[in-house]
């Protein structure tokens, strides 16, 4: 079990703010402009949750769809922080979908609201998705916890794989905690306690070696409990801390890893 991580919220936000791709756009018109410049469009309103819009990259010949949840500890974060990945993934035939969900700092919401929003998004989005397309669910940090909940909640064989980046896998006492998750723990939402019920789908977990927000031991402990022969972990990046995949110098490698993983996911 991972050791307790204290004062999580501040390190998460400071880590994100240090990345060139992270900015806050409070004005909807400005967010729409920045999204369009990056090749994204706002989704229809029924797919928006909270005070941020879900984003979908504008590509029509994709082989794979990746639904990827942003991080932020259910306290902050937004889909716009990940738009840098849209175009390079599209060049490899992958369409990136970035769902919105409620967070405490904007919506005065709980982790259970975030989980509910994530499930609602996926249920509604899949109604229009062709059945012959490869579909991967994923997320970073708290977004990884959401992706694991989605994998458990949806019918088996819904997803061809799951992609996780420094994911929150342990919310029991002594695990991940912040303003949303108390130090006493939230066992009901902790992936390491329900991993036995997860389908055995291909899984790639990327976790930085020097992560001070979500301990690397969370990932190794989760994998040992899941016992999924199709799951693999890479200790990457070697430096940069929590969310280091977002750093400009790592973005190209992250896209390559996503593309290589998608090829391993059966259609």
């Amino acid at each position: 079990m991972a050791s307790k991580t204290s004062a999580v919220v501040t390190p998460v936000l400071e880590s994100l703010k240090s990345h060139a791709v992270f900015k806050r756009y409070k004005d909807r018109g400005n967010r729409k402009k920045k999204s369009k410049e990056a090749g994204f469009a706002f989704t229809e309103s029924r797919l928006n949750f909270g005070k941020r819009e879900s984003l979908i990259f504008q590509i029509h010949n994709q082989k794979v769809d990746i639904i990827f949840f942003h991080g932020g500890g259910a306290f902050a974060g937004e889909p716009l922080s990940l738009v840098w990945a849209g175009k390079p993934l599209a060049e490899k035939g992958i369409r990136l979908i970035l769902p919105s969900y409620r967070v405490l700092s904007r919506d005065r919401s709980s982790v259970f609201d975030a989980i509910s929003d994530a499930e609602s998004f996926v249920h509604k989005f899949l109604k229009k998705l062709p059945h012959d397309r490869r579909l991967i669910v994923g997320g970073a940090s708290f977004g990884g916890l959401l992706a694991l909940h989605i994998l458990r909640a949806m019918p088996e064989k819904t997803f061809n794989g799951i992609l996780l980046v420094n994911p929150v896998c342990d919310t029991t006492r002594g695990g991940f905690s912040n303003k949303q998750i108390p130090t006493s723990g939230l066992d009901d939402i902790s992936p390491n306690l329900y991993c036995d019920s997860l389908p055995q789908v291909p899984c790639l977990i990327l976790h930085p070696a020097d992560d001070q927000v979500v301990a690397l031991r969370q990932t190794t402990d989760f994998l040992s409990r899941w016992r999924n022969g199709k799951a693999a972990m890479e200790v990457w990046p070697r430096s940069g801390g929590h969310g280091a995949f977002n750093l400009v110098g790592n973005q190209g490698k992250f896209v390559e890893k996503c593309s290589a993983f998608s090829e391993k996911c059966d259609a």
Side-chain angles (χ1 to χ4, degrees):
M1 182 177 293
S3 61
K4 172 183 172 182
T5 302
S6 61
V8 169
V9 173
T10 298
V12 169
L13 294 180
E14 291 306 315
S15 176
L16 287 170
K17 288 176 182 176
S18 70
H19 300 164
V21 298
F22 182 78
K23 293 182 179 180
R24 291 188 179 188
Y25 298 101
K26 295 183 179 180
D27 177 72
R28 187 178 190 275
N30 197 19
R31 293 200 304 276
K32 189 171 185 177
K33 177 183 177 182
K34 294 298 180 181
S35 301
K36 186 175 181 180
E37 289 174 352
F40 284 81
F42 289 171
T43 61
E44 53 194 286
S45 59
R46 72 188 183 92
L47 293 176
N48 294 333
F49 298 88
K51 295 179 180 177
R52 289 294 182 266
E53 298 83 4
S54 298
L55 303 173
I56 184 167
F57 194 83
Q58 298 300 285
I59 176 178
H60 303 291
N61 60 342
Q62 71 272 23
K63 305 173 188 174
V64 184
D65 277 335
I66 295 182
I67 300 174
F68 198 86
F69 293 93
H70 68 80
F75 177 84
E78 61 179 292
L80 194 59
S81 65
L82 296 167
V83 296
W84 58 265
K87 184 176 180 180
L89 284 174
E91 291 172 351
K92 296 181 180 295
I94 300 171
R95 181 173 67 164
L96 183 60
I97 298 101
L98 301 172
S100 60
Y101 59 88
R102 285 171 287 175
V103 298
L104 177 62
S105 61
R106 287 192 300 271
D107 307 294
R108 299 182 179 180
S109 54
S110 71
V111 292
F112 301 101
D113 293 322
I115 292 170
S116 174
D117 290 348
E119 291 185 6
S120 294
F121 176 91
V122 172
H123 277 290
K124 292 177 180 179
F125 179 80
L126 292 184
K127 287 183 178 180
K128 293 186 176 181
L129 189 71
H131 294 294
D132 60 348
R133 186 171 302 156
R134 273 178 287 165
L135 180 62
I136 296 171
V137 66
S141 192
F142 182 79
L145 180 146
L146 292 179
L148 287 165
H149 271 273
I150 294 301
L151 185 64
R152 178 175 69 157
M154 298 299 294
E156 193 171 354
K157 298 184 179 179
T158 297
F159 297 103
N160 301 100
I162 182 169
L163 173 66
L164 304 170
V165 183
N166 43 244
V168 173
C169 296
D170 180 8
T171 60
T172 63
R173 179 185 291 274
F176 180 90
S177 63
N178 66 0
K179 287 186 178 180
Q180 289 281 56
I181 300 172
T183 56
S184 58
L186 285 178
D187 290 4
D188 289 349
I189 68 167
S190 191
N192 68 342
L193 295 184
Y194 64 70
C195 52
D196 286 345
S197 64
L198 292 173
Q200 302 279 299
V201 299
C203 172
L204 174 62
I205 303 180
L206 304 173
H207 206 131
D210 57 350
D211 195 332
Q212 300 299 310
V213 177
V214 178
L216 181 61
R217 283 176 291 174
Q218 279 202 30
T219 293
T220 56
D221 178 62
F222 170 76
L223 286 176
S224 67
R225 291 169 181 251
W226 190 8
R227 298 183 189 135
N228 179 3
K230 299 178 182 178
M233 182 187 76
E234 293 184 29
V235 180
W236 179 88
R238 300 302 304 184
S239 62
H242 191 71
F245 78 104
N246 256 322
L247 293 170
V248 174
N250 294 328
Q251 291 175 3
K253 194 69 174 177
F254 174 73
V255 169
E256 290 178 10
K257 290 180 181 296
C258 289
S259 178
F261 174 67
S262 71
E263 293 297 326
K264 298 177 182 179
C265 298
D266 297 330

